[in-house]
Every structure is written in C-alpha cells, then in structure tokens.
Amino acid sequence: MEGDAKGFTLIELLVVISIVMLFSGIILAGLIGVRNQGKDARIKSSMDQIRKGASVYQSYQGNYTGLGCGVTSPVNMQALCNDVNSQSGSSPVFNAGTNDYCAYTVMASSATKWFCVSSVRGEAVETATNPDTTCAGASYDCP
C-alpha cells in the first residue's frame, strides 16, 4: 500500500528546518548584545585601571604632564590602552596637564556612549555627552 510509507514529507522537513533557523537567528541576535556588554565591562575595567595608574604616575612624577598611552613606567598605560583599543576599536584620548588629567574612550555597544575618567571627579563616568568638549583645554573634567 502506498499510504503506509513511513517517514517525513519534504514539506514537513522544510517546516522544521525553517523553525530551527528562525530560533537560531533570534539566539544569535541576542548574543551580539551580550558580547558588546562584555566588551563594555572590560573597557570600564581597563579605564578604571588607567585612573588608578594615573594616580601612581602622579605620585611618582609629581604631576600628570606626559600621561598618555605611551607611558610604560611606573605604570604600563600602553598595555591598558591596547586592551581598550582591542575592545572598542579606539584608544583612550588623554588630556593631561600639571595638576589634572582626563581620559576617555567610546564604548563598544554604542558610538554615542563614552567612558571617561578624570582627576577632577576622581571617579569613572559613563556618559552620552562626548567628553571631547569638557576634557579638552584646561578643564580636565568628564561631562
């Protein structure tokens, strides 16, 4: 008898494959957001290490002059900057004077979010305002 054949029809297989692909797409889309959140967490951690390293640098040098990604002693800022760059695609921007400094970078999750550290605030700040205007010049502050 022809009606007693066992197995799946082509239509049934195509429906199952389509559903599996749909669920896979939804899961992968969600993982991209989680991945960027992980990158942001690592950026924040490295920028906090830069903030702490700047304090050590100032204690050692007596000022913040010359502080930037090229510094390797007494704190290896270069390694921290490279880590931030590997996560966000952008190295931190430094503005350093004798008594104060400011450093910021764009976040991985959004090109309109920045993470900023400064000696003026003494803490790290996540902001939607580009720190380029407040960190530049002599203000050395995060928005």
Side-chain angles (χ1 to χ4, degrees):
M1 290 194 202
E2 291 179 40
D4 291 341
K6 294 189 179 190
F8 297 104
T9 66
L10 181 59
I11 298 293
E12 290 171 330
L13 289 174
L14 289 175
V15 168
V16 170
I17 290 171
S18 298
I19 291 171
V20 168
M21 289 178 64
L22 177 68
F23 286 142
S24 298
I26 292 169
I27 290 170
L28 288 176
L31 290 178
I32 291 171
V34 171
R35 184 176 181 193
N36 283 337
Q37 288 175 349
K39 286 182 175 186
D40 283 352
R42 190 160 161 188
I43 289 167
K44 289 177 183 179
S45 176
S46 292
M47 290 298 289
D48 193 49
Q49 291 299 314
I50 285 173
R51 182 182 60 80
K52 292 172 183 174
S55 179
V56 171
Y57 180 86
Q58 192 272 342
S59 295
Y60 187 79
Q61 298 289 97
N63 59 53
Y64 293 108
T65 305
L67 181 65
C69 286
V71 172
T72 56
S73 178
V75 178
N76 192 349
M77 293 289 190
Q78 191 172 30
L80 293 169
C81 289
N82 289 343
D83 187 51
V84 169
N85 188 23
S86 72
Q87 300 305 311
S88 71
S90 174
S91 291
V93 176
F94 280 84
N95 184 22
T98 304
N99 298 317
D100 291 303
Y101 80 93
C102 183
Y104 65 92
T105 191
V106 69
M107 300 296 277
S109 61
S110 172
T112 59
K113 286 172 48 179
W114 291 267
F115 201 72
C116 184
V117 295
S118 75
S119 58
V120 174
R121 286 189 188 262
E123 63 183 4
V125 178
E126 186 174 331
T127 178
T129 304
N130 189 338
D132 190 37
T133 55
T134 58
C135 192
S139 66
Y140 305 106
D141 196 10
C142 299

